[in-house]
């Protein structure tokens, strides 16, 4: 299998139409391209052929987002791709689980547009080629 193509898109997996609409607004304001998927399986299939600038996971998807993040971080190609996780329950246990899964940013719902915009602005900057 050939090397997955690097991309400046942000991969977003959420089944929530409300969250998607909010994220589309923020992303459009930033001038960033995004690839949306409603299911984790579709997002994971996309990752077989693409290396996004960042990966955004909603905790309401059908597969545990912590296990997805953990597995992504085991991949040599994807381990440096930042992961942002939207969570419903922002208690200490959840934050600790996210830390063990090596999730770079955890954002509690309801989403603070300004906080997500700042994170996205920093995550989505194209990186220089090695």
């Amino acid at each position: 299998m050939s090397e997955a193509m690097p991309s400046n898109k942000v991969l977003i997996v959420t089944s929530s139409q409300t969250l998607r609409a909010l994220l589309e607004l923020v992303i459009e304001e930033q001038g960033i391209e995004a690839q949306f998927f409603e299911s984790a399986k579709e997002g994971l299939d996309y990752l077989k052929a693409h290396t996004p600038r960042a990966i955004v996971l909603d905790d309401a998807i059908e597969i545990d987002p912590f296990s997805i993040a953990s597995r992504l971080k085991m991949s040599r190609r994807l381990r440096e791709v930042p992961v942002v996780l939207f969570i419903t329950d922002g208690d200490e246990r959840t934050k600790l689980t996210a830390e063990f899964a090596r999730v770079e940013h955890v954002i509690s719902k309801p989403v603070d547009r300004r906080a997500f915009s700042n994170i996205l602005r920093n995550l989505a900057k194209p990186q220089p080629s090695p």
Side-chain angles (χ1 to χ4, degrees), residues 20-84:
R20 179 181 174 144
L22 173 68
L23 298 181
E24 284 177 335
L25 284 173
V26 174
I27 288 166
E28 186 177 296
E29 290 169 356
Q30 295 288 329
I32 295 169
E33 286 186 73
Q35 185 69 48
F36 284 89
F37 293 101
E38 288 189 18
S39 79
K41 183 182 179 332
E42 291 171 327
L44 292 170
D45 285 344
Y46 175 84
L47 289 173
K48 290 177 184 175
H50 301 87
T51 304
R53 177 64 41 224
I55 299 168
V56 179
L57 302 172
D58 181 7
D59 70 350
I61 57 179
E62 78 281 11
I63 300 175
D64 174 38
F66 298 109
S67 64
I68 292 173
S70 218
R71 292 197 60 197
L72 293 174
K73 295 301 182 172
M74 286 186 226
S75 164
R76 181 173 304 195
R77 179 175 54 85
L78 298 170
R79 77 173 44 129
E80 299 301 321
V81 176
V83 175
V84 178

Side-chain angles (χ1 to χ4, degrees), residues 10-12 19-20 22-28 30 32 34 36 54-57 84-86 105 107 111-123:
V10 173
L11 169 68
I12 300 175
L19 182 58
R20 179 181 174 144
L22 173 68
L23 298 181
E24 284 177 335
L25 284 173
V26 174
I27 288 166
E28 186 177 296
Q30 295 288 329
I32 295 169
F36 284 89
I55 299 168
V56 179
L57 302 172
V84 178
L85 177 60
F86 290 108
H105 298 278
I107 301 176
V111 176
D112 177 343
R113 274 183 69 170
R114 194 172 307 152
F116 179 62
S117 182
N118 288 335
I119 289 170
L120 229 148
R121 188 177 304 116
N122 292 325
L123 292 180

Side-chain angles (χ1 to χ4, degrees), residues 66 87 89-100 106 108:
F66 298 109
I87 58 171
D89 185 7
D91 66 6
E92 284 306 309
R93 182 178 182 172
T94 302
K95 290 177 183 176
L96 188 59
T97 304
E99 187 178 320
F100 282 126
V106 177
S108 295

Side-chain angles (χ1 to χ4, degrees), residues 2-13:
S2 63
E3 187 76 19
M5 295 181 51
S7 167
N8 280 326
K9 288 185 178 181
V10 173
L11 169 68
I12 300 175
V13 182

